[in-house]
Amino acid sequence: YRDSAYHTWLACTHYLRGVRDVYNYLTVTDNRLLSVLPSSQFTTIPHRAPAPAPAMALAMKRAAATAVRAISSANSASILTRQLHASAEKKKIVGVFYKAHEYAEMNPNFLGCAENALGIRNWLESQGHEYIVTDDKEGPDCELEKHISDMHVLITTPFHPAYVTAERIKKAKNLQLLLTAGIGSDHVDLQAAAAAGLTVAEVTGSNVVSVAEDELMRILILVRNFLPGHHQVISGDWNVAGIAYRAYDLEGKTVGTVGCGRIGRLLLQRLKPFGCNLLYHDRIKMDQELENQIGAKFEEDLDKMLPKWYSGDVWYPQPAPKDHPWRYMPNQAMTPHISGTTIDAQLRYAAGVKDMLENYFKGEDFPAQHYIVKEGELASQYR
């Protein structure tokens, strides 16, 4: 493309020294941004350009200022601005977590609550970043709304999610990065995030074992009719018949999973020693070798897997209102959203968030499996 555009972009690259990779190339004419071109069409500009001569340096500085003004005024500039995050600029980071109150001090590894805030406050503030933490996330007057317009990073969890709607994204002019401390980013409008050029990432794998173990526990609780017996004990009752009439062994029963990703496979592996007939339904069939290893069969007809019992902990909205119909379903073992927030899981996803923030400050990529939205593209499982 035009030599003038090349020199303008080279000036910008030199002027913004923190930028290591060039993701978009600009065509600038008459101080107006005309287009943002995909990097696949051009060769990247090296991070360390040769030191310019004094006259060239002045020209480059002027060109950079021109380009920055053009970028700032262009409608499509938000995508470029949000991707060029590697700089010495101090960031405003907002974390939304559940309140622990008196429980916050009972375990030093209880990092997932608002009071302990993933254990990264001192680290962030020592580098000059601002770290705002709240559990107040709903409604136009909530604490989160006060910080949307100028925050650069939002960290939240699936257990007390900040719902990132298209409306909120539109108001978040400085927002660059949405991090989930844990797994699951369905609290984010991913299409709107992609259109705005935001990066969305989560700590993939951080709590899959925690959730798989939790689901195995719930299956046993339901099959053995455990909950009515426990309720009898704490209420002072004793009625064996009221429990035994619908208590069964797990061995020989058919157990199915709807979805067979990381968690589903771990659950099936843990069910195998119980001698169950294992089924799974997923949009992608496992290869035969893995099916044989796990001992599960693919079931194409989802209707054949409709449950007689239901256990789970993912609600909408969260926290669930007191009149939520799921609270009153028969034969269920619902709880608040706790399966993936064991202390072990908290340590893993807190460490994962810190690692990604370090990469973000350096302008480096995250591990590929952590991305949910990158450079306007959704991960395959969300398409």
Side-chain angles (χ1 to χ4, degrees):
Y1 49 93
R2 298 181 182 87
D3 289 342
S4 61
Y6 172 81
H7 288 118
T8 300
W9 181 243
L10 182 60
C12 288
T13 306
H14 182 78
Y15 195 63
L16 305 173
R17 289 179 179 273
V19 179
R20 296 193 176 189
D21 298 304
V22 178
Y23 297 105
N24 297 281
Y25 292 77
L26 307 182
T27 301
V28 180
T29 302
D30 298 332
N31 296 342
R32 288 177 287 118
L33 180 70
L34 299 182
S35 63
V36 177
L37 304 174
S39 59
S40 59
Q41 298 181 21
F42 301 98
T43 304
T44 57
I45 299 169
H47 171 53
R48 298 190 179 278
M56 176 60 81
L58 180 59
M60 289 168 66
K61 186 173 181 180
R62 289 173 176 170
T66 299
V68 169
R69 285 196 301 271
I71 293 168
S72 299
S73 63
N75 292 332
S76 60
S78 60
I79 292 178
L80 178 71
T81 303
R82 295 182 186 208
Q83 288 180 346
L84 298 182
H85 58 244
S87 73
E89 178 190 355
K90 303 308 179 184
K91 304 295 185 181
K92 180 173 183 177
I93 297 144
V94 176
V96 177
F97 311 106
Y98 53 80
K99 276 277 191 181
H101 305 290
E102 69 273 19
Y103 303 105
E105 298 181 357
M106 292 185 177
N107 188 332
N109 293 325
F110 188 6
L111 301 180
C113 60
E115 290 86 346
N116 296 329
L118 303 182
I120 58 176
R121 179 179 294 281
N122 291 340
W123 171 69
L124 286 172
E125 293 180 350
S126 70
Q127 299 183 61
H129 302 297
E130 184 181 5
Y131 190 28
I132 304 294
V133 175
T134 183
D135 71 320
D136 185 17
K137 61 189 181 72
E138 303 296 338
D141 299 320
C142 71
E143 185 67 20
L144 174 60
E145 283 288 333
K146 299 175 184 177
H147 304 285
I148 284 178
S149 63
D150 63 345
M151 66 183 179
H152 298 94
V153 180
L154 175 62
I155 307 169
T156 188
T157 75
F159 320 107
H160 187 76
Y163 294 106
V164 185
T165 61
E167 181 182 0
R168 279 180 163 174
I169 288 172
K170 184 180 288 187
K171 292 189 288 186
K173 302 301 184 183
N174 290 344
L175 185 59
Q176 298 168 336
L177 176 62
L178 293 163
L179 286 178
T180 298
I183 302 171
S185 297
D186 49 345
H187 54 277
V188 178
D189 186 325
L190 297 178
Q191 295 290 345
L198 301 180
T199 297
V200 182
E202 57 189 41
V203 191
T204 299
S206 60
N207 56 12
V208 292
V209 169
S210 311
V211 178
E213 289 183 357
D214 181 272
E215 290 310 306
L216 177 58
M217 174 191 70
R218 291 170 193 265
I219 290 170
L220 288 167
I221 282 173
L222 287 168
V223 170
R224 299 304 294 264
N225 205 22
F226 174 84
L227 286 175
H230 178 64
H231 291 155
Q232 281 187 22
V233 169
I234 60 178
S235 64
D237 294 334
W238 191 278
N239 180 3
V240 175
I243 305 158
Y245 83 100
R246 60 186 304 271
Y248 300 89
D249 295 338
L250 187 55
E251 184 179 25
K253 303 302 185 293
T254 297
V255 181
T257 67
V258 179
C260 198
R262 294 178 178 88
I263 295 170
R265 293 180 186 183
L266 287 173
L267 175 59
L268 291 172
Q269 289 169 352
R270 282 154 174 75
L271 284 166
K272 186 177 180 180
F274 285 89
C276 304
N277 174 34
L278 300 176
L279 302 176
Y280 74 95
H281 175 86
D282 200 286
R283 60 178 183 154
I284 301 174
K285 190 177 184 293
M286 286 188 278
D287 62 67
Q288 192 63 49
E289 182 179 354
L290 186 56
E291 275 192 359
N292 294 339
Q293 177 187 341
I294 293 176
K297 295 179 181 179
F298 178 71
E299 177 54 66
E300 187 173 0
D301 187 356
L302 182 59
D303 290 337
K304 292 182 179 179
M305 300 178 67
L306 292 177
K308 294 181 180 179
W309 298 292
Y310 182 76
S311 69
D313 65 350
V314 180
W315 305 68
Y316 182 81
Q318 294 185 130
K322 291 184 177 181
D323 61 350
H324 197 293
W326 290 2
R327 292 180 182 267
Y328 310 105
M329 293 188 298
N331 304 327
Q332 51 97 352
M334 294 294 294
T335 66
H337 197 169
I338 58 171
S339 59
T341 188
T342 62
I343 296 299
D344 303 277
Q346 290 177 48
L347 291 170
R348 290 190 291 265
Y349 62 66
V353 167
K354 184 178 179 182
D355 287 345
M356 283 194 284
L357 286 173
E358 285 184 315
N359 288 9
Y360 165 71
F361 296 143
K362 296 175 184 176
E364 297 175 353
D365 278 349
F366 306 151
Q369 69 271 19
H370 290 351
Y371 283 106
I372 304 303
V373 176
K374 181 184 181 184
E375 298 177 12
E377 293 289 333
L378 273 67
S380 58
Q381 67 267 34
Y382 288 94
R383 294 174 192 166

